Amino acid sequence: MQEPVDRPAHDRTAEPAAPAAPVPGPSPRIDRRLFLGGVGAAATALAVGQAGAAAQAAEGPAAAALPQEMQAPSALAMRTFSRIDGTPVYYWRGDRGNTTLRSWQCTDAFYDRLVLWIRDLRNLSADGGFGNIDFLVSAGFYVNRSGQHGAGTAMDLDMVHWAGGRRCSPLDRHHAEGRTLRRRYLAVDAVCRRRFRYVLDGWYNSAHHDHIHADFGGLPTTCEKGSRSDTVFVQAMCNNFMGAGLAVDGIWGSNTQTWFNRAKNRLGISGDPHSEIVAWRNMLARIARHGFSDTAI
């Protein structure tokens, strides 16, 4: 099984490749023909690529500003956008269902990483039979506060909505809903972890019960046993896909290690996800496929 290949047009923060990994080429999109897909995978790739390119070309200035704390000072030279790779991003805090385009801001480098992320998300969810992504909902990118948000290098994800009506809604606490929604939430969570080092979800703490936070801090992306963020994700994944019955406490103990090894073996992952970027990204892609197809590991 092959996983998504990094082929961005411009990725200013590309991580160092793991040993023996192929050097990515300059193609402007991820080629779905490299996925393990069903009949028509190549046709799906062409349709997704053409739709994304058309939407990207049509993108213009957003129609409405965000709250003042989300408007960066001009001295920070942030990129302003209303869509990510052609997909609109809405703001629903205090006004659910509002489809007014907004003037989001982040750094150029972070926007480039967002493009890689949403292309992963489109392709991996398509493998589970999902349609194209209709829209995203966010609680913020640049926000005037300390840390990654204040640097313009963070995203708070409230919802992903696909054509046909399926959605993943951290805003509605899907991490605590039925198994199908929990698995889908973990799939989106896993895709975030392929591109962002620190991903804080509903299992991380109560402050993230209604959004998934993803940021640039601490790249590159590997699975760190000492990271609460990574540990609660692994524990929740083992519970929801394998019935492990682990305490989701953020402590990487012997039981967590045992179930992690079982998941790694069942997913057919070679290499060490704790030290090799490619191994961890491949594992996350396969977790995401199981989440979008709602199947056990």
Side-chain angles (χ1 to χ4, degrees):
M1 178 188 298
Q2 289 181 300
E3 311 305 342
V5 176
D6 301 348
R7 292 183 176 176
H10 302 286
D11 183 8
R12 299 174 180 83
T13 59
E15 298 159 5
V23 177
S27 170
R29 67 181 177 87
I30 294 170
D31 188 347
R32 267 190 51 77
R33 289 173 293 182
L34 297 178
F35 280 78
L36 176 66
V39 176
T44 302
L46 182 61
V48 170
Q50 289 174 338
Q56 182 78 349
E59 180 170 352
L66 287 154
Q68 186 63 40
E69 64 270 18
M70 296 184 189
Q71 299 176 37
S74 58
L76 293 182
M78 294 286 171
R79 174 176 184 147
T80 300
F81 64 97
S82 57
R83 299 175 175 88
I84 299 172
D85 199 37
T87 299
V89 187
Y90 300 135
Y91 182 66
W92 284 8
R93 296 296 173 119
D95 191 10
R96 189 178 179 113
N98 190 323
T99 56
T100 301
L101 291 175
R102 302 289 183 160
S103 296
W104 303 102
Q105 292 182 295
C106 69
T107 66
D108 279 335
F110 192 75
Y111 181 84
D112 289 345
R113 187 57 62 99
L114 289 169
V115 170
L116 293 177
W117 165 75
I118 199 169
R119 291 177 183 180
D120 277 0
L121 187 59
R122 287 176 186 140
N123 289 327
L124 289 164
S125 61
D127 286 345
F130 285 59
N132 199 16
I133 299 173
D134 278 341
F135 62 85
L136 305 171
V137 180
S138 176
F141 295 86
Y142 169 83
V143 182
N144 184 17
R145 64 173 70 144
S146 61
Q148 297 291 315
H149 276 293
T153 54
M155 167 181 68
D156 284 345
L157 181 65
D158 278 358
M159 186 182 295
V160 182
H161 194 283
W162 287 268
R166 281 187 282 192
R167 63 194 177 105
C168 174
S169 182
L171 183 62
D172 295 309
R173 301 164 178 81
H174 278 188
H175 73 286
E177 294 295 331
R179 187 181 69 181
T180 295
L181 292 180
R182 293 198 305 272
R183 286 179 171 177
R184 189 181 302 165
Y185 182 106
L186 282 162
V188 172
D189 199 337
V191 179
C192 290
R193 291 171 192 275
R194 282 177 52 83
R195 298 300 175 184
F196 305 102
R197 175 63 192 94
Y198 284 105
V199 178
L200 311 181
D201 57 26
W203 290 284
Y204 181 77
N205 63 16
S206 60
H208 295 87
H209 69 283
D210 62 353
H211 67 280
I212 294 176
H213 168 96
D215 70 47
F216 251 11
L219 290 172
T221 51
T222 54
C223 181
E224 301 291 340
K225 296 180 183 180
S227 164
R228 176 175 174 82
S229 168
D230 290 349
T231 301
V232 296
F233 169 78
V234 167
Q235 291 168 337
M237 178 273 293
C238 291
N239 288 349
N240 285 283
F241 290 101
M242 302 168 68
L246 296 170
V248 184
D249 57 8
I251 300 170
W252 195 291
S254 58
N255 286 340
T256 298
Q257 186 66 57
T258 295
W259 282 98
F260 179 82
N261 290 342
R262 288 176 184 170
K264 177 176 176 287
N265 291 335
R266 291 183 188 182
L267 291 168
I269 301 302
S270 59
D272 183 3
H274 300 303
S275 60
E276 299 173 26
I277 296 168
V278 171
W280 181 226
R281 283 185 174 176
N282 288 348
M283 187 167 180
L284 291 167
R286 297 180 194 189
I287 291 168
R289 286 193 178 96
H290 280 275
F292 289 125
S293 63
D294 191 15
T295 55
I297 293 172

